[in-house]
Amino acid sequence: MTRKTSLTMESNQSNQHNSLLASEADSQRTLYPYVTGTSVVAIKYKDGILMASDMGGSYGSTLRYKSVERIKPVGKHSLLGASGEISDFQEILRYLDELILYDNMWDDGNSLGPKEVHSYLTRVMYNRRNKFNPLWNSLILGGVKNGHKYLGMVSMIGVNFEDDHVATGFGNHLARPILRDEWHENLSFEDGVKLLEKCMRVLLYRDRSAINKLQIAKITEEGVTVSQPYSLKTFWGFSAFQNPTVGAEGSWWVVVRWVRPNPDQKKLRRPPLLLPLILPPRSPQLAANLDA
Amino acid sequence: MTKQQANWSPYDNNGGSCVAIAGADYCVIAADTRMSSGYNILTREYSKICKLADKAVMASSGFQADVNALQKQLAAKHLTYQHQHNKQMSCPAMAQLLSNTLYYKRFFPYYAFNVLGGLDSEGKGCVFTYDAVGSYERVGYSSQGSGSTLIMPFLDNQLKSPSPLLLPAQDAVTPLSESEAVDLVKTVFASATERDIYTGDKLEIVVLNAGGIHREYMELRKD
């Protein structure tokens, strides 16, 4: 569900009974998104397109959903990845299902390729922005047809382009610089996956809405494969992660997180919560207190 | 839940600079190929130049989605024109059509800043320069887009076009030769790229003359 707000239009007296205006006044528009997905990253490689995205669905800053598939096959030759409003993405998938179905009903052996689907999406997104009623997404469309690789993007307001590698949202800031350094035309499947995983790992560390459950999809002349969800290996052992407040030590969290569960007990215990994943710094005084 | 984004806007500025220079028997139209959004570079290879007719070429910067819609609209109108008149539209005719098309959306404008270059019916170079709502003027040279504030005064200084206030009206075409004009275009883009973050990556130059249409590219700074 998208957050909708009715626009109250100042109706002047002469137009009060105009049903057209009244219906416009009642119209509902997306002013901001509800449940959102974060970055999608995609690249061309030797045999086709590779696309990666995590499976998080954020409700503001709450991680509300953790198994949202944000990469879907479209028709025989295309792969669609979406960030932004999840419900709008699902609406777009319904439009595309209809598009592919009606195209298939011609029964002429022709089928829409990635270029056509991308063009269609471009028109849908731009048309909705013209009505001031946008579909709140950044979309990535990749595919292969007749030996031609295709990789393009469309934004919420209809801005669209093709490139050898693309990324939405935070991916634009964090993944594309890596891709510009390391991408090349002849990437093998293995190297392509490695490159995407490198990007997704950086996003996982630095994008707070990214989660460690992702899918990578591949499309070649042979067809589409979307991987099962999996996790990346991470390393949080850097000293900056271990003890982020060193040099800026406060006092409150020692009090909050180290409690004396039983007044008779002299030894301080960690509370039975999972909160203090980060160990407090041991000042000599505190250490003495703890060991007493 | 509280609102997290700024108010939604139907517009964006994807940046880029356009230049056109008219000579006695040629016209040079040029634009960079960078497309940006905010501080992001979206792609380094997006052509802002569109061939509207055999002797009319448009370079546009501003909001890419609007530019795209404008180009499609003009292509459709030009197709109709060809069916009705069995000929290509002339550059001055295309100039008027572009103005009307922009003004048609006066109250929800195409956020597009265009220069139209081509050859008129006598084979003389012509340049038309526009604002987003369709005001236009025939000139000898012009620049539009994010780098226009850097480029335009430089062109004024180098080309010294006769004042439009002179009577009788003086011819506005530049005295440069074709290759001098192309070199000037390369210089102004290299300079604009130094200071304008929305201009760079690659320069696309289209030259129109009696021999037809010719295209060349020059690399620009990518930072």
Side-chain angles (χ1 to χ4, degrees), chain A residues 255-271:
Chain A
V255 178
V256 170
R257 295 187 179 180
W258 290 77
V259 293
R260 209 187 293 270
N262 178 353
D264 300 332
Q265 224 173 343
K266 284 189 181 151
K267 201 172 176 182
L268 282 171
R269 288 272 163 79
R270 253 171 59 170

Side-chain angles (χ1 to χ4, degrees), chain A residues 11-66:
Chain A
S11 53
N12 59 42
Q13 299 90 327
S14 60
N15 279 331
Q16 248 172 3
H17 301 291
N18 187 327
S19 63
L20 258 178
L21 254 190
S23 70
E24 179 137 71
D26 293 332
S27 73
Q28 305 257 294
R29 282 138 192 216
T30 308
L31 296 178
Y32 49 92
Y34 239 138
V35 179
T36 56
T38 184
S39 329
V40 185
V41 186
I43 55 172
K44 285 185 186 171
Y45 79 108
K46 191 155 55 74
D47 308 317
I49 305 293
L50 289 170
M51 199 183 285
S53 90
D54 72 45
M55 303 186 77
S58 302
Y59 175 71
S61 47
T62 306
L63 261 174
R64 181 65 184 78
Y65 302 102
K66 298 179 182 181

Side-chain angles (χ1 to χ4, degrees), chain A residues 30-34 59-61 119 122-123 126 128-134 136 156-163 165 169 172-173 176 180 208, chain B residues 1-12 14 35 39-46 63-70 72 105 108-110:
Chain A
T30 308
L31 296 178
Y32 49 92
Y34 239 138
Y59 175 71
S61 47
S119 175
T122 299
R123 287 357 281 165
Y126 185 65
R128 289 288 292 264
R129 90 104 212 190
N130 282 344
K131 294 174 178 161
F132 279 69
N133 184 196
W136 212 285
M156 188 164 63
I157 50 180
V159 173
N160 63 284
F161 59 91
E162 285 173 54
D163 215 331
H165 47 77
N172 247 327
H173 294 94
R176 290 205 69 191
R180 283 181 186 137
R208 66 155 188 204
Chain B
M1 196 174 72
T2 49
K3 199 175 78 163
Q4 298 203 345
Q5 280 89 357
N7 261 341
W8 180 77
S9 164
Y11 291 116
D12 190 7
N14 301 111
M35 182 161 95
Y39 288 134
N40 287 317
I41 294 171
L42 297 179
T43 174
R44 298 187 194 277
E45 303 214 29
Y46 190 86
F63 175 41
Q64 185 267 347
D66 275 351
V67 168
N68 198 215
L70 178 64
K72 284 193 175 201
K105 275 175 68 70
F108 182 25
Y110 285 125

Side-chain angles (χ1 to χ4, degrees), chain B residues 24-37:
Chain B
D25 57 355
Y26 68 88
C27 187
V28 182
I29 301 101
D32 65 311
T33 64
R34 177 175 291 185
M35 182 161 95
S36 319
S37 181

Side-chain angles (χ1 to χ4, degrees), chain B residues 73-89:
Chain B
Q73 177 85 331
L74 292 171
K77 289 266 179 61
H78 187 242
L79 190 67
T80 313
Y81 181 95
Q82 285 175 87
H83 285 129
Q84 286 173 343
H85 300 93
N86 195 30
K87 65 172 184 183
Q88 292 274 317
M89 204 182 269

Side-chain angles (χ1 to χ4, degrees), chain B residues 30-139:
Chain B
D32 65 311
T33 64
R34 177 175 291 185
M35 182 161 95
S36 319
S37 181
Y39 288 134
N40 287 317
I41 294 171
L42 297 179
T43 174
R44 298 187 194 277
E45 303 214 29
Y46 190 86
S47 175
K48 292 176 190 53
I49 300 180
C50 177
K51 187 189 162 205
L52 297 174
D54 279 352
K55 287 172 179 179
V57 173
M58 178 174 74
S60 326
S61 63
F63 175 41
Q64 185 267 347
D66 275 351
V67 168
N68 198 215
L70 178 64
Q71 289 171 346
K72 284 193 175 201
Q73 177 85 331
L74 292 171
K77 289 266 179 61
H78 187 242
L79 190 67
T80 313
Y81 181 95
Q82 285 175 87
H83 285 129
Q84 286 173 343
H85 300 93
N86 195 30
K87 65 172 184 183
Q88 292 274 317
M89 204 182 269
S90 71
C91 189
M94 187 58 84
Q96 183 65 54
L97 176 65
L98 175 53
S99 171
N100 294 154
T101 311
L102 290 167
Y103 193 78
Y104 187 81
K105 275 175 68 70
R106 173 63 180 76
F107 298 108
F108 182 25
Y110 285 125
Y111 193 68
F113 299 95
N114 308 296
V115 276
L116 179 69
L119 302 173
D120 65 13
S121 46
E122 295 149 32
K124 205 160 67 175
C126 53
V127 169
F128 297 87
T129 185
Y130 295 80
D131 74 1
V133 291
S135 312
Y136 82 114
E137 188 184 19
R138 184 171 172 168
V139 290

